[in-house]
Amino acid sequence: MSEFSLFSPFTIRGVTLRNRIVVPPMHQYSAVKGFPTDWHLMNAGKFAAGGAGLVIVESTKVERRGCGTVGDLGIWDDVFIAPLRRIAGFIKEQNAVAGIQLGHSGRKARARRPWEGDGPLAPTAEIDDWDAWSPVAPSAIAHGEKWPAPRALERGEVKDLVQAWADAARRAEAAGFDVLELHGAHGYLVHEFLSERSNRRADEYGGSESNRMRFITEVVEAVRGCWPDHKPLFVRLSVEDNAGFGPEQSVRLAKILKPRGVDVIDCSSGGITDAAPILGREIKYSYQVPLSEYVRRHADIMTMAVGLIIHGDQAERILQEGQADLIAIGREILNNPNWPMDAALKLGVEGSFRHVPPQFGWWLGTRHKRGFGTRPSTWQVGLEVGLEENRKVL
Ligand SMILES: Cc1cc2nc3c(=O)[nH]c(=O)nc-3n(C[C@H](O)[C@H](O)[C@H](O)COP(=O)(O)O)c2cc1C
């Protein structure tokens, strides 16, 4: 047990994470017809080897219509199990826990990749199933002005979709993942059911708040029916969507989901309107942490904090202050895949280089012992020690 919460093992149900550092789901836009490629193995692999406790594979779609853009991962058929197993297996070989997020993009399906500009995709020769990829949603309400109106799901299709999430969970289990996260945030299908803006249904899935929460509740029940008891289940929510669904609603939802087997609420925000920011466009360190703290305190459920958490001491403080149980490091781990090792070093955790495999950890540790660290504050000291060593050699 480390003196630092960030580096203490953490057990949820029957699964133990070696530390509380989580790589959140991040799309790679690199799948081919839903199938993972070597890119996914390399990407998840480098984070697992970098020392994270849990690596969650990107939003993987429960049906073709739910793909957000070109290159989304799929899990809508058993053929995806074997290639996904290779990724889960490699993550576990690196002593990290393998997680996967299940998702469906709803009315935001068939969109451009972010660097091509926000908005709907135009047909290209590359896409041979354009019509089969038509966006569906709780109601025929477009996401924004430039977006096409989706087709409203028939009641029977909603039931089929609940089953699609459960089938996907069964496949994730067969592929060897040990943590499952359901994507209920960022203005995608589940969130579209929750929000009054996008859900005007007249049946039992729309109208009152409890009706709007029915879809995610049924999904959780169905998923829990085939996801083993000893494996944790997370739900990502936009705890504040700046469009009517806020922390109080999120707490009420968490209280419904917890007794149905949800262990952790992953606390994100935004995405239901073009105006509501995701990825912290208001730019502030820890900008979503208060949402995590609020849900944790009022719903008495474990939470994961995410969003502009960049430094080790920042992450440690969030845990010490009881604002979250787990810390997700997204873009900063893209910048530095060995973030856990680096954070351990900067915090002064003993054996920092043991957070990564000896193939490179040993070499970095040896270099560090000779005074060449990665800590800016010791750069000068390191330089002097290095010079001293060189003198000895000379
Ligand atoms: C490249 C990229 C892809 C992302 N893909 C997903 C995704 O698949 N599912 C999801 O829930 N969030 C996704 N996100 C959001 C991240 O999981 C995370 O919540 C966000 O980046 C904020 O955390 P950060 O400031 O540490 O990056 C993505 C973010 C990035 C940068």
Side-chain angles (χ1 to χ4, degrees):
M1 178 69 87
S2 165
E3 62 180 297
F4 296 96
S5 296
L6 191 60
F7 289 98
S8 299
F10 191 62
T11 300
I12 312 172
R13 295 186 184 244
V15 174
T16 299
L17 280 56
R18 61 184 158 181
N19 57 48
R20 302 203 193 194
I21 303 164
V22 178
V23 181
M26 286 186 280
H27 282 112
Q28 293 302 302
Y29 317 93
S30 302
V32 176
K33 294 198 178 298
F35 286 95
T37 60
D38 286 353
W39 178 272
H40 297 91
L41 185 69
M42 176 280 293
N43 184 63
K46 73 183 173 193
F47 300 137
L54 165 63
V55 177
I56 306 180
V57 170
E58 71 191 72
S59 175
T60 303
K61 301 306 181 309
V62 303
E63 64 166 10
R64 169 60 179 135
R65 286 182 304 187
C67 284
T69 186
V70 175
D72 274 23
L73 275 181
I75 191 164
W76 59 82
D77 192 285
D78 285 358
V79 293
F80 296 110
I81 295 172
L84 287 171
R85 189 183 292 129
R86 185 162 172 248
I87 296 169
F90 191 80
I91 295 173
K92 294 199 279 193
E93 266 174 40
Q94 305 307 316
N95 300 315
V97 171
I100 188 166
Q101 187 188 53
L102 302 182
H104 188 300
S105 300
R107 68 183 186 176
K108 283 165 80 173
R110 222 171 54 180
R112 287 199 291 257
R113 288 171 287 203
W115 58 89
E116 295 162 343
D118 213 19
L121 202 62
T124 64
E126 194 193 358
I127 306 161
D128 56 16
D129 61 349
W130 182 257
D131 292 333
W133 192 9
S134 294
V136 291
S139 303
I141 302 168
H143 173 67
E145 271 175 21
K146 60 187 173 190
W147 293 80
R151 183 175 65 75
L153 288 158
E154 313 260 332
R155 188 172 171 277
E157 286 180 297
V158 178
K159 300 276 179 204
D160 292 345
L161 262 170
V162 171
Q163 188 56 43
W165 286 77
D167 291 342
R170 174 184 55 76
R171 293 182 192 116
E173 152 67 6
F177 288 97
D178 290 316
V179 167
L180 194 65
E181 176 167 287
L182 309 179
H183 199 344
H186 302 168
Y188 298 121
L189 187 76
V190 170
H191 190 178
E192 287 159 18
F193 272 95
L194 292 172
S195 168
E196 266 180 309
R197 292 255 178 142
S198 42
N199 183 351
R200 303 271 167 78
R201 294 182 74 88
D203 61 10
E204 74 269 36
Y205 293 99
S208 68
E209 181 179 284
S210 61
N211 276 0
R212 283 181 280 113
M213 291 180 179
R214 190 180 307 279
F215 181 66
I216 175 73
T217 307
E218 288 186 0
V219 166
V220 163
E221 286 170 345
V223 162
R224 255 294 165 217
C226 47
W227 184 245
D229 261 4
H230 68 279
K231 295 192 177 186
L233 181 61
F234 293 19
V235 170
R236 175 168 271 199
L237 293 179
S238 283
V239 174
E240 173 57 82
D241 73 0
N242 301 117
F245 194 89
E248 287 173 16
Q249 286 83 351
S250 299
V251 164
R252 285 200 287 275
L253 179 57
K255 284 181 175 168
I256 292 171
L257 300 183
K258 185 180 171 182
R260 288 169 171 81
V262 170
D263 303 293
V264 174
I265 301 292
D266 174 4
C267 298
S268 194
S269 69
I272 198 72
T273 69
D274 269 343
I278 50 172
L279 301 188
R281 279 179 217 142
E282 71 255 53
I283 305 299
K284 199 171 153 203
Y285 278 118
S286 301
Y287 67 103
Q288 291 171 153
V289 171
L291 304 176
S292 162
E293 182 176 21
Y294 187 90
V295 171
R296 190 171 186 266
R297 185 161 301 156
H298 295 284
D300 189 26
I301 191 165
M302 287 183 274
T303 61
M304 178 153 86
V306 64
L308 287 178
I309 303 169
I310 289 181
H311 302 291
D313 52 354
Q314 182 193 2
E316 176 66 17
R317 191 162 165 192
I318 293 165
L319 294 172
Q320 292 289 345
E321 296 196 352
Q323 295 175 297
D325 299 275
L326 293 167
I327 302 290
I329 307 291
R331 284 163 293 178
E332 188 55 20
I333 219 154
L334 301 180
N335 176 43
N336 175 8
N338 300 324
W339 189 90
M341 176 193 74
D342 192 44
L345 190 63
K346 286 172 179 160
L347 284 171
V349 177
E350 217 190 308
S352 305
F353 295 100
R354 288 199 292 270
H355 288 87
V356 296
Q359 289 98 314
F360 60 100
W362 183 84
W363 291 97
L364 294 175
T366 306
R367 187 187 71 171
H368 185 72
K369 269 191 220 133
R370 306 192 85 203
F372 297 99
T374 48
R375 272 194 289 185
S377 58
T378 58
W379 182 81
Q380 196 57 36
V381 177
L383 189 67
E384 277 155 23
V385 173
L387 287 175
E388 206 41 55
E389 290 289 307
N390 281 345
R391 259 185 224 117
K392 272 185 219 155
V393 174
L394 290 170

